[in-house]
Amino acid sequence: MQVKLISMFLLAYLLGSTPAGVWVGKLLYKTDIREHGSGNSGTTNAFRVLGKQAGIMVLLVDVLKGTAAGLLPLLFNVDLHPMIIGIAAIIGHVFPIFAKFKGGKAVATSAGVAIAYNPLFLLVMVAIFLILLYVTSMVSFASVTTLILAFFASLFLQDWIFSTMVFIIMVLVVVRHKENIKRIREGKENKVPFGLGAKDKQK
């Protein structure tokens, strides 16, 4: 049992450590996205630096690696909450061994882990995220706010393991977005070129 647990945590961490943004940028665009835009290797900066197609590729990989990690207990036939293993993938995404421990902000990978546990819950959160993104045109604001709402919503599921994991993810995401939060307060945060917020900026 202990060997299986160690193997799952290690594999989940390695899955999370897959730096999709860095690899897609270097292999297909000859660009290290960590040297451009926000300097982050995650999905948002991939969209900003490499464009829509690359951003979608990075998003899919970041989500799927979280889902794959969450499904490891099923694969190993171990009765263990998927969120417990999934947190290792999230840590891997933030501190990837394959990219000098400098990774993304964990939003997409966290969503992937949530898919493995409760797809319906995730769909509701995605809907909230998209609404917030359309209204504000700020990925950072939409991400942080959605995670905070996700924590409070998780309490209604009466699954303390899930709620605890979501709380940990929420804190991690907020900490990773501290510079974004500062810019939001100063009215200087970057906006994506669509939504009501982008229209307000153009005016």
Side-chain angles (χ1 to χ4, degrees), residues 67-102:
T67 303
L71 293 175
L72 286 176
L74 183 63
L75 180 64
F76 279 76
N77 194 28
V78 174
D79 185 17
L80 187 67
H81 201 294
M83 294 298 294
I84 295 176
I85 296 298
I87 200 71
I90 294 167
I91 293 172
H93 178 77
V94 177
F95 305 107
I97 192 173
F98 301 126
K100 299 180 179 179
F101 301 101
K102 296 180 180 180

Side-chain angles (χ1 to χ4, degrees), residues 87 151 162-174:
I87 200 71
F151 167 66
F162 180 60
S163 295
T164 301
M165 293 298 107
V166 173
F167 178 77
I168 293 172
I169 294 168
M170 178 191 71
V171 172
L172 181 61
V173 168
V174 170

Side-chain angles (χ1 to χ4, degrees), residues 18-34 50 54 57-58 61 98:
T18 305
V22 176
W23 289 356
V24 168
K26 287 186 174 182
L27 293 175
L28 301 181
Y29 297 86
K30 309 301 180 184
T31 300
D32 188 340
I33 65 172
R34 294 170 297 181
L50 304 176
M57 282 191 286
V58 174
V61 174
F98 301 126

